[in-house]
Amino acid sequence: MEQARLRARELGLTPGIFNTGTHNAITDVAGVAVGHVTLIDGEATRTGVTAIIPHAGNPFTDRVPAGLAVINGYGKLAGATQLAELGELETPIILTNTLAVGRAVEALVDWTLARNPDAVSVNAVVGETNDGRLNDIRARGVGAEHVLAALDAATDGPLAEGCVGAGTGTMAFGFKGGIGTSSRVLPEGLGGWTIGALVQANYGGVLTMDGIPAGRELGKWYLKEHTDRGDADGSVMVVIATDAPLSDRNLTRLATRAMAGLARTGAAFSDGSGDYAIAFSTHPGVRRDAERRAQQAVIADWPNDRMSPLFVAAAEAVEEAVLNALTMATTTIGRDGRTGRRATGHAIDLDALRAILARYGR
């Protein structure tokens, strides 16, 4: 019988120094909503869509500043160049599998055009990881209707994690990966801001959990045998939201700190990995609505010398989001999209993990 899954904190893993938000999720940033569509069909389809909506208004007319960080660019992140050039989001962010990016872009454009009759250019932002180890990715099971359903399903509050949405078929560190989320709240003396992270974990390396070498203890890590490529390749998409009044420049800096959180989990950042992070701010003082753009209004800008606590919080939230993706994921049987053979992604054994944590005094 499948083990009951637990979040990292329920197992005694508490990375970092800052407190979490109410739900310990990206939705602790007010206004942010997340929706999943999970596709499990027959023996082969194990994939899905996750939608992140930055606020309850119209993302196209009421744009949020955003920043992008890339550490290894083996990926198909649609909309990346305009995001980097203009420093803003004008659509929700969609996460899905590699071969579904085109269909997701079309669906997100349709969704945006339906709400904006004057729009003639839409920068649809769609990220991906390749779930072909458990999903018949060549069958291209994700359609526009699934993207639209994920957008319609978006909600705030507690979020499903593990084998849901865009994490349905992913692997991480040789274990079943998935979607994970976490948040941090700064003390009032540091601004009182909330930082939330959501990850689509599908990458590898030498798994470290809150400083504990869990991958080595469990006998599974990259380069265990020099003739085996191991579990390094793969990709990860990170989305960070905050209510702090940040410029796109400082949001780019914040997105870069996501890589520190990934590094703490033992990420290899390998040649075949796409490692991307997008950060955006929901603060009303930095929104780029039509009136503000027309008036060339001065916008709020949190000072550079007060960014360090936000950097720490972002790294912590990303690290814990990855841990949640792993501990909440369930063993999944699918079909390798390359070979067509039956494949199993084994969830990390929580009983074995508890024993390891006990040895390390957790």
Side-chain angles (χ1 to χ4, degrees):
M1 187 173 67
E2 182 74 39
Q3 289 177 309
R5 308 309 290 178
L6 298 170
R7 303 188 83 191
R9 282 184 178 261
E10 297 173 293
L11 293 162
L13 295 163
T14 56
I17 58 174
F18 290 125
N19 292 330
T20 70
T22 301
H23 304 296
N24 193 15
I26 193 172
T27 48
D28 287 324
V29 179
V32 176
V34 176
H36 299 299
V37 166
T38 300
L39 298 176
I40 298 175
D41 186 24
E43 297 181 351
T45 300
R46 305 288 185 270
T47 191
V49 179
T50 295
I52 302 98
I53 302 179
H55 58 74
N58 185 334
F60 187 78
T61 57
D62 196 7
R63 299 172 188 178
V64 296
L68 169 68
V70 184
I71 195 166
N72 193 72
Y74 192 88
K76 292 80 185 169
L77 177 54
T81 55
Q82 184 174 314
L83 189 160
E85 181 71 21
L86 301 185
E88 63 188 22
L89 286 172
E90 59 185 49
T91 69
I93 299 168
I94 298 295
L95 304 180
T96 187
N97 76 57
T98 303
L99 297 187
V101 170
R103 290 177 176 173
V105 167
E106 288 286 334
L108 192 50
V109 168
D110 287 344
W111 186 89
T112 303
L113 292 179
R115 288 158 178 77
N116 300 278
D118 296 329
V120 294
S121 174
V122 177
N123 187 46
V125 176
V126 179
E128 55 78 29
T129 69
N130 193 310
D131 56 17
R133 283 174 285 183
L134 291 174
N135 173 51
D136 183 7
I137 193 170
R138 291 173 59 89
R140 304 181 68 192
V142 174
E145 68 274 18
H146 302 122
V147 177
L148 297 175
L151 288 162
D152 288 344
T155 185
D156 57 8
L159 297 180
E161 294 173 289
C163 303
V164 296
T168 302
T170 62
M171 296 285 294
F173 299 100
F175 301 101
K176 183 66 188 70
I179 294 289
T181 189
S182 184
S183 68
R184 294 294 185 273
V185 179
L186 296 184
E188 288 299 324
L190 298 176
W193 310 116
T194 299
I195 300 91
L198 182 143
V199 300
Q200 180 189 17
N202 190 53
Y203 66 104
V206 183
L207 176 60
T208 302
M209 305 182 85
D210 194 11
I212 295 171
R216 282 185 290 164
E217 292 279 2
L218 293 167
K220 191 187 293 289
W221 69 91
Y222 174 50
L223 295 180
K224 182 180 180 182
E225 299 176 6
H226 292 295
T227 56
D228 184 358
R229 290 188 69 186
D231 299 302
D233 282 348
S235 298
V236 57
M237 283 294 311
V238 180
V239 178
I240 296 173
T242 183
D243 56 4
L246 303 187
S247 65
D248 54 270
R249 177 181 53 79
N250 269 333
L251 285 162
T252 298
R253 299 176 73 202
L254 190 71
T256 303
R257 271 57 181 192
M259 305 308 170
L262 296 176
R264 292 175 187 175
T265 69
F269 302 113
S270 67
D271 175 69
S273 185
D275 312 299
Y276 298 90
I278 298 170
F280 64 85
S281 171
T282 65
H283 192 284
V286 297
R287 297 273 183 89
R288 301 174 179 182
D289 58 29
E291 180 180 359
R292 189 168 283 164
R293 292 197 300 272
Q295 296 177 350
Q296 300 179 353
V298 176
I299 61 173
D301 189 7
W302 195 246
N304 291 336
D305 60 6
R306 299 191 68 185
M307 285 297 298
S308 292
L310 288 160
F311 293 160
V312 173
E316 290 182 10
V318 170
E319 178 185 7
E320 187 166 346
V322 172
L323 302 187
N324 284 333
L326 286 161
T327 62
M328 289 296 290
T330 55
T331 295
T332 300
I333 300 172
R335 184 176 297 165
D336 191 307
R338 296 159 294 185
T339 66
R341 296 173 182 167
R342 180 185 171 99
T344 302
H346 292 281
I348 195 166
D349 186 323
L350 296 189
D351 289 337
L353 181 58
R354 284 190 183 93
I356 293 166
L357 297 181
R359 291 203 299 272
Y360 282 81
R362 304 296 177 87

